[in-house]
Amino acid sequence: MSNLDRQATPSVCGGRGFVVAEPVRELLTPRRVPLGESTEVRRLLPNLGRRMVGAWAFVDHYGPDDIADEPGMQVPPHPHMGLQTVSWLHDGEVLHRDSLGSLQAVRPRELGLMTSGRAISHSEESPKPHARFLHGAQLWVALPDEHRHVEPHFQHHTDLPAVTAPGLTATVILGELDGAASPGTAYTPIVGADLALTEGAEARLPLNPDFEYAVLSMSGEAEVDGVPVLPGSMLYLGCGRRELPLRALSDAGLMLLGGEPFEEEIVMFWNFIGRSHEEIARAREEWMAGERFGEVKGYDGDRLAAPELPPVALKPRGRVR
């Protein structure tokens, strides 16, 4: 999925100096961003108060939207570099096309994982005809310097491992949780898991104290470490936890995101992750010139133009805590 913000500005993210080394409870408020004609997303990362969680650098939550009489998701061809996109649905279907020739429908509880590496372009759209409801999350994972120029590739996994407890099913989307490992390729120590809880369930999810974590609420009413988390919001949890108490006040869906704190400082702009303003500027110019990122064939429409890049180079941020 693309960042369609026409007022996009570069931001510096990452670095261990910005990680909270102890357990905390920071409730993050989303920013509402239009995505195409009929879809609005709630953007949780990057956030004014929190830029990354481990290698997770971008989190959008959308729906559930009634798109029976709407076009649904329509994201024209656009570029990516230096990151992985993770597509995760609770309702609906999204058709993925990319410049490698991939054409894949991604359905609920299936992993669509695109590694951009040095350069790729793709589009995402609701098929015709499509299901009435669309509900899901789109996430990006920053690639570390040693892997950010890998050859681009796309993976689709329908059979994902799960960790279970009374009233809880935790499907491992990426990385590892309690000994269960996703088949998706990960380039840093990381975890992404879909948590389905039944009403009245109480559970304690095992965590890695070296990871930092956050929980995104997808649906229902639940408490995370005693904090009510409503759909479309995210609770940042910091590091140093060995377990996470969960309590479902209704049937609820959550996403656990975590990973080893990302040591490198990165520059994010639009749909690019790089290491300098100059690198981002070069990527933007190459996309606008039709170079490097390839062509998405089969999409009915024009590709996205990149927003203007502010001319001032960014400076590393100071320590927050």
Side-chain angles (χ1 to χ4, degrees):
M1 182 180 291
S2 170
N3 177 2
L4 299 187
D5 190 350
R6 304 310 301 170
Q7 305 299 320
T9 56
S11 60
V12 176
C13 309
R16 282 186 176 265
F18 316 114
V19 175
V20 181
E22 60 187 7
V24 294
R25 301 175 187 85
E26 293 181 4
L27 194 60
L28 304 182
T29 302
R31 179 167 64 96
R32 294 183 178 273
V33 180
L35 186 71
E37 298 178 10
S38 58
T39 303
E40 182 181 73
V41 301
R42 290 167 286 278
R43 184 152 298 159
L44 282 311
L45 287 181
N47 193 289
L48 183 62
R50 184 63 47 192
R51 295 293 185 181
M52 296 180 71
V53 177
W56 299 100
F58 181 95
V59 176
D60 273 354
H61 173 247
Y62 54 91
D65 295 325
D66 186 339
I67 59 169
D69 299 317
E70 302 287 345
M73 182 179 293
Q74 298 294 325
V75 182
H78 58 278
H80 285 293
M81 74 171 191
L83 58 91
Q84 294 176 289
T85 65
V86 176
S87 299
W88 189 253
L89 288 170
H90 276 193
D91 291 293
E93 184 177 333
V94 172
L95 186 64
H96 165 97
R97 303 175 191 264
D98 64 40
S99 53
L100 303 177
S102 307
L103 177 61
Q104 180 63 57
V106 180
R107 300 180 177 89
R109 270 76 180 189
E110 297 178 354
L111 172 62
L113 177 64
M114 186 182 76
T115 301
S116 68
R118 57 179 177 77
I120 199 171
S121 57
H122 76 139
S123 65
E124 290 173 297
E125 57 186 309
S126 296
K128 301 176 184 178
H130 52 252
R132 178 174 180 176
F133 293 102
L134 180 64
H135 181 206
Q138 184 78 13
L139 313 98
W140 296 356
V141 178
L143 291 171
D145 190 61
E146 61 182 314
H147 295 298
R148 67 191 184 97
H149 298 296
V150 299
E151 289 297 310
H153 57 275
F154 177 76
Q155 296 174 272
H156 178 235
H157 296 286
T158 60
D159 187 13
L160 298 170
V163 175
T164 60
L168 168 68
T169 300
T171 302
V172 184
I173 302 168
L174 195 64
E176 184 175 339
L177 177 67
D178 197 27
S182 166
T185 302
Y187 293 90
T188 57
I190 197 170
V191 64
D194 181 86
L195 312 180
L197 296 106
T198 59
E199 183 177 358
E202 295 190 33
R204 289 183 173 269
L205 199 63
L207 301 183
N208 182 338
D210 294 329
F211 281 15
E212 64 175 336
Y213 289 96
V215 170
L216 167 67
S217 175
M218 297 285 286
S219 61
E221 297 182 47
E223 292 181 354
V224 179
D225 196 16
V227 179
V229 183
L230 299 177
S233 63
M234 189 162 72
L235 184 68
Y236 176 72
L237 297 164
C239 299
R241 294 175 180 269
R242 296 187 180 275
E243 61 179 15
L244 182 63
L246 302 170
R247 180 169 175 259
L249 306 180
S250 69
D251 290 352
L254 306 171
M255 290 188 73
L256 175 73
L257 306 174
E260 189 174 278
F262 200 77
E263 292 189 356
E264 304 168 38
E265 284 197 344
I266 61 175
V267 177
M268 289 181 58
F269 172 74
W270 196 43
N271 297 298
F272 305 127
I273 291 183
R275 296 301 185 274
S276 69
H277 185 275
E278 291 74 21
E279 182 184 359
I280 296 292
R282 184 167 60 252
R284 182 193 177 280
E285 291 171 2
E286 289 170 333
W287 169 250
M288 295 298 289
E291 302 171 354
R292 179 179 167 189
F293 292 92
E295 179 184 358
V296 179
K297 296 181 179 180
Y299 182 84
D300 184 17
D302 296 330
R303 65 183 200 151
L304 285 178
E308 291 296 324
L309 176 65
V312 179
L314 293 170
K315 297 180 180 179
R317 301 178 298 156
R319 181 181 295 269
V320 175
R321 297 189 185 186

